[in-house]
Amino acid sequence: MVNNKLNTYAANMGTTSSKKTTSKLPQLLQNTQPNLSYAGNMKLPTNIPTNPVVGNLKTPSLLNGAVIGTGGGSVGKVTNEGVIVGGGAVNSTFNNISSGSNKVTTNNNMSYASNLLKNQLSSATKAPAASVPTQTTSTQEQKPAEKIDSYEEFLEKQKDTYKETLDKTNQLIEEQKQAAIQNAETARQRSVADARSSYEQNKATYGANAEALASMGLSGSGYSDYVNSQAYAQQRADTQNANAVAEVARMTAESEASQGKLSAEMSYADSVAQTDATLAQYKQQQADKKVSYYVNLLDLANKGNYTKEQLQQLATGYGLNATQIKSLTDAATTYTTNKQNEKYNQLLNSSDTSGFDALKSARDNGEITAKQYTDLVTSYQSYYYDLYSQSVDADFTMVNTSDIDSAYSKGYITKAQYDKLKDKYNSGVVSAITAASIFYANGNQLDEKTAQAALDELKNTGWLTDENKSKLQSLFDSTYNDDGGCFAKGTMITVADGSQVAVENLKVGDAVLVFNHSTGAVDISPISFIFYDGQKEYDVLKLNFDGAASVEVLYAHGFFDTGLRKYVLIDPENVKEFIGHKFYRVVCENGAYRKEAVTLTDFELYRKETECYSVLTAGHINNIVNGMLAVTDDIKGLYNVFELDSDYKYDEAQMAADIEKYGLFTYDDWRDYATEEQFDAFNGACLKVAIGKGLVTVEEIVGYINRFLQS
């Protein structure tokens, strides 16, 4: 009976100490591989970004090709955005965590495609940065697309996910271990309590048996002790067994937990390593792909297929680095610069007669730079200015000023160049007026009608200054209207004996007083020519010198300025400029000559009825008019040929230098135009120096000969 009780106790204890149990490990501890591909778990089509396109540009064929790579054992490729498509299917280690009835669920699908789908990537997703934004006609405000992680960001975040899953796994294992230990402790405590209860029950049974024996007059001390001893032993054995079972359960839980954590750590490390390998492979693929993009774009840049701005957009869209982008834009700049230089040189060597339209078009189209356009315009303007300038310098009377006006209006010459040409033109007019050659052609004086037409044409150009208009009119009047000449009737000329004779009483061949600039002294010379115009009303310019002398000039006459050391022509237009200047005067008193400098103090202008005379002396040209050293205005360019010293004598050194530079004429040079006597009277040899210095022209000399030496 006792044995049955004991067996019942043992059955109630439910001991299984003789059988080792094995806890079921969580499924997550199985060593599987994570799926890191872009489309590994994709079941729905995803809008994968395409190549960035700039406007209507053609994307290079090489840039549309995928870079083939491997991942996870299956062949895949990388899109232009750097996404691995069709890569190796690598399943996540930490998809589901479960143990018995407990279950921890993490992201069931951690592929990049799921990440995109989770973020609701759709056809409305914002285009890549490199794409040119298109305008929309919709008035409805568009909701900005959510930011989608790049593939690199996704992989980096996956490692964070693995760590999070590892932590959750370790926590779950720890919780399962503690639960197993707690369950073992609870079972142990229950088994100990059951052993104690069985022992108490046995003791109670032992007491009942003792009473029964006593009632029968039997002594049960020996039996009771035995039963008591057996019950106690059974209690201790049951307690020890319960403790042993609990300890085995605790150790098993500890072992399984340690094994599970180790397995989780190893699986985590494998997953991170696999992700790092995938990331490294992806980066290498991206690097290789970018090199291909760069090489192809560089070739296109060198060929000028894309502008600098377009290359900037494309290169940015393909993820090229700053150095590569700069290299591409520099290549485009170099190409553009070379083409602009080529176009610049082409235009520089061509002519443009359309108001620089070709230059403007090239500038506006970017074929040349703004600076090159300015340089070309400046070059053309200089070219045209030089042509017109040479024409004006050669013969201003042959210049078509209307053409120059038109060129200026078209911008062919600048305002400054235009004004400079006008200045040159007027300088030519002044020179012609000074040389009295403007109404001559081929050495012959124009008839009055032709001269008047020439004068009107000059005035109508609009180029003449008011001063030159007045001078030309005065010259015309003096030449064709006999209004002017040299000096009036009654003017006294000093003759060889020192006396004075009225000009109207002199004749060619009479000896008169002159100044010899070769010796610097007063001399005697015969009259070679006397000009005379009949009696009529003339404009008179009366010059007053220090109250000691006065001369009535008809239009203009030359007097020797001692300060300037040369003869100056004084007329009504410039007389004020010479007020205060000192002029050379010779007075004969008691057979001696007194030479002095007298000041021009004032003048008078009036008209009167008189006659006009002019005297030309052989060799010296000059004469003494009312005591003043003078020359006729009709022979401009035949005096002031050589520089004078302080004694009004030719500067011998400078004179020799001039002759060395320009040379001298011989009579043979002028044999067809004058006699040798006439050649000497006009100082014909020195006229070559005068021509060389620009004081007179051959045509003007021929005109003088025709005018003064007619028979």
Side-chain angles (χ1 to χ4, degrees):
M1 182 174 181
V2 173
N3 289 333
N4 288 335
K5 291 284 186 182
L6 290 175
N7 290 334
T8 300
Y9 172 73
N12 290 333
M13 287 290 291
T15 58
T16 56
S17 57
S18 61
K19 182 179 180 182
K20 183 177 180 181
T21 61
T22 302
S23 297
K24 184 179 181 181
L25 292 178
Q27 183 181 358
L28 66 94
L29 299 182
Q30 298 173 5
N31 188 18
T32 58
Q33 298 294 324
N35 185 347
L36 306 177
S37 69
Y38 179 78
N41 292 316
M42 292 179 65
K43 296 181 180 179
L44 295 176
T46 305
N47 290 327
I48 300 174
T50 59
N51 279 341
V53 179
V54 181
N56 295 322
L57 299 178
K58 294 182 179 180
T59 305
S61 59
L62 174 62
L63 305 183
N64 286 324
V67 178
I68 304 301
T70 58
S74 62
V75 177
K77 61 182 179 179
V78 181
T79 70
N80 294 313
E81 284 64 46
V83 185
I84 298 178
V85 178
V90 185
N91 297 316
S92 173
T93 303
F94 308 107
N95 285 339
N96 296 303
I97 305 172
S98 64
S99 178
S101 60
N102 295 322
K103 185 175 183 180
V104 177
T105 303
T106 61
N107 183 6
N108 190 44
N109 188 341
M110 292 183 288
S111 69
Y112 190 46
S114 296
N115 181 53
L116 294 177
L117 292 172
K118 181 179 179 181
N119 284 279
Q120 299 178 346
L121 180 65
S122 66
S123 59
T125 301
K126 185 173 65 176
S131 299
V132 175
T134 56
Q135 294 183 347
T136 175
T137 56
S138 174
T139 57
Q140 182 178 2
E141 183 179 356
Q142 295 186 0
K143 180 179 179 181
E146 297 182 45
K147 180 182 181 301
I148 305 301
D149 291 340
S150 68
Y151 190 55
E152 289 186 37
E153 291 173 332
F154 165 72
L155 292 177
E156 292 293 347
K157 288 184 178 180
Q158 283 295 83
K159 292 192 289 186
D160 294 337
T161 302
Y162 299 153
K163 183 63 171 67
E164 180 183 350
T165 304
L166 175 64
D167 292 340
K168 289 182 179 180
T169 300
N170 286 334
Q171 180 181 355
L172 178 60
I173 291 173
E174 185 64 26
E175 290 174 355
Q176 291 176 334
K177 182 189 77 171
Q178 295 299 329
I181 293 174
Q182 182 61 44
N183 289 339
E185 177 62 21
T186 299
R188 184 191 68 80
Q189 291 177 1
R190 186 169 57 249
S191 295
V192 170
D194 288 347
R196 182 66 183 176
S197 176
S198 179
Y199 172 68
E200 292 297 335
Q201 183 180 3
N202 284 338
K203 283 178 64 179
T205 301
Y206 155 71
N209 289 337
E211 289 178 1
L213 290 174
S215 66
M216 290 186 293
L218 296 177
S219 174
S221 59
Y223 174 76
S224 299
D225 290 339
Y226 170 77
V227 172
N228 182 43
S229 175
Q230 288 295 314
Y232 179 76
Q234 185 64 47
Q235 176 192 0
R236 185 175 62 180
D238 289 343
T239 298
Q240 290 176 343
N241 185 59
N243 289 336
V245 170
E247 180 62 19
V248 169
R250 183 190 67 77
M251 292 177 63
T252 299
E254 291 280 0
S255 176
E256 290 179 351
S258 296
Q259 182 181 359
K261 289 181 178 180
L262 177 60
S263 179
E265 290 285 352
M266 293 176 64
S267 183
Y268 166 74
D270 288 343
S271 296
V272 170
Q274 178 64 41
T275 301
D276 286 339
T278 301
L279 182 58
Q281 180 189 31
Y282 165 71
K283 287 181 177 179
Q284 184 59 49
Q285 290 172 327
Q286 286 296 95
D288 293 342
K289 180 174 62 176
K290 289 177 181 178
V291 169
S292 298
Y293 290 166
Y294 169 72
V295 170
N296 197 34
L297 284 176
L298 183 60
D299 178 63
L300 295 172
N302 289 329
K303 293 178 180 178
N305 292 57
Y306 291 145
T307 66
K308 176 180 177 181
E309 292 72 23
Q310 290 169 338
L311 286 166
Q312 177 84 34
Q313 285 186 301
L314 285 171
T316 301
Y318 293 131
L320 302 188
N321 60 43
T323 300
Q324 292 171 322
I325 292 175
K326 185 178 184 304
S327 176
L328 292 173
T329 55
D330 285 349
T333 299
T334 299
Y335 175 85
T336 301
T337 300
N338 290 339
K339 295 298 290 184
Q340 288 173 335
N341 289 339
E342 180 181 342
K343 185 65 174 179
Y344 171 80
N345 291 327
Q346 175 188 343
L347 292 172
L348 186 63
N349 296 317
S350 65
S351 60
D352 186 298
T353 58
S354 56
F356 298 142
D357 287 346
L359 302 184
K360 293 176 183 176
S361 177
R363 178 199 60 190
D364 296 341
N365 294 334
E367 294 178 273
I368 57 174
T369 66
K371 182 181 183 304
Q372 287 174 325
Y373 169 79
T374 301
D375 291 345
L376 284 169
V377 169
T378 300
S379 176
Y380 276 108
Q381 288 172 336
S382 296
Y383 170 76
Y384 287 120
Y385 169 76
D386 289 342
L387 287 179
Y388 292 131
S389 179
Q390 291 170 8
S391 175
V392 173
D393 289 341
D395 186 355
F396 78 94
T397 62
M398 299 301 293
V399 174
N400 187 333
T401 57
S402 296
D403 286 346
I404 301 179
D405 290 338
S406 176
Y408 171 61
S409 67
K410 293 178 180 180
Y412 279 28
I413 55 176
T414 66
K415 178 64 165 58
Q417 290 170 330
Y418 182 60
D419 291 341
K420 193 172 180 179
L421 288 171
K422 281 188 172 182
D423 291 341
K424 279 178 170 286
Y425 187 87
N426 279 280
S427 294
V429 172
V430 170
S431 296
I433 292 173
T434 302
S437 63
I438 197 164
F439 298 124
Y440 283 81
N442 299 321
N444 297 316
Q445 183 173 314
L446 302 175
D447 62 75
E448 184 175 354
K449 183 177 180 180
T450 303
Q452 182 64 61
L455 177 62
D456 292 342
E457 183 178 352
L458 288 171
K459 288 182 177 180
N460 291 335
T461 62
W463 278 43
L464 292 179
T465 63
D466 291 339
E467 182 181 3
N468 279 346
K469 286 180 182 178
S470 177
K471 287 183 177 180
L472 278 173
Q473 186 61 56
S474 297
L475 179 61
F476 178 83
D477 291 341
S478 66
T479 303
Y480 295 97
N481 298 328
D482 296 326
D483 188 9
C486 287
F487 35 76
K489 179 180 179 180
T491 301
M492 305 303 289
I493 305 297
T494 304
V495 296
D497 62 4
S499 63
Q500 293 184 321
V501 177
V503 65
E504 64 268 22
N505 295 325
L506 295 175
K507 62 183 182 300
V508 173
D510 288 347
V512 298
L513 200 67
V514 297
F515 190 90
N516 188 335
H517 289 290
S518 295
T519 63
V522 174
D523 205 343
I524 305 296
S525 180
I527 296 175
S528 297
F529 179 80
I530 296 177
F531 171 81
Y532 169 74
D533 195 17
Q535 183 172 339
K536 61 185 226 178
E537 191 175 70
Y538 291 93
D539 287 325
V540 178
L541 169 64
K542 184 178 182 180
L543 303 174
N544 298 314
F545 298 92
D546 278 350
S550 64
V551 181
E552 282 188 324
V553 173
L554 303 184
Y555 176 62
H557 204 71
F559 296 89
F560 189 80
D561 189 318
T562 59
L564 299 177
R565 296 183 189 177
K566 66 178 182 179
Y567 295 93
V568 295
L569 290 178
I570 302 177
D571 60 33
E573 300 294 333
N574 65 12
V575 62
K576 292 181 180 180
E577 299 175 12
F578 295 102
I579 297 296
H581 282 224
K582 291 186 178 297
F583 294 86
Y584 197 85
R585 184 169 184 248
V586 179
V587 179
C588 183
E589 295 177 343
N590 301 320
Y593 296 110
R594 186 178 82 249
K595 294 169 279 187
E596 60 186 3
V598 294
T599 303
L600 176 61
T601 56
D602 57 55
F603 66 93
E604 300 173 54
L605 287 172
Y606 50 85
R607 292 184 67 83
K608 80 170 186 178
E609 186 88 8
T610 185
E611 298 174 13
C612 178
Y613 292 89
S614 179
V615 174
L616 183 67
T617 60
H620 303 285
I621 309 299
N622 61 65
N623 51 43
I624 306 300
V625 180
N626 286 359
M628 305 302 299
L629 179 57
V631 294
T632 178
D633 68 319
D634 296 324
I635 53 171
K636 304 174 186 69
L638 300 188
Y639 50 85
N640 292 335
V641 176
F642 298 109
E643 301 293 331
L644 304 177
D645 60 19
S646 59
D647 295 326
Y648 316 129
K649 177 183 176 183
Y650 291 134
D651 185 320
E652 293 182 0
Q654 186 60 51
M655 183 178 181
D658 288 341
I659 293 174
E660 176 69 22
K661 181 177 181 179
Y662 300 108
L664 296 173
F665 281 131
T666 65
Y667 171 65
D668 289 338
D669 296 321
W670 293 93
R671 180 180 297 275
D672 295 335
Y673 296 93
T675 66
E676 189 168 1
E677 183 181 2
Q678 292 170 335
F679 176 77
D680 292 336
F682 275 87
N683 294 323
C686 296
L687 292 180
K688 194 167 188 179
V689 176
I691 294 172
K693 287 185 174 183
L695 303 177
V696 68
T697 66
V698 172
E699 290 77 11
E700 289 168 340
I701 293 174
V702 172
Y704 294 158
I705 292 173
N706 292 334
R707 181 179 182 186
F708 293 114
L709 304 183
Q710 294 175 355
S711 57

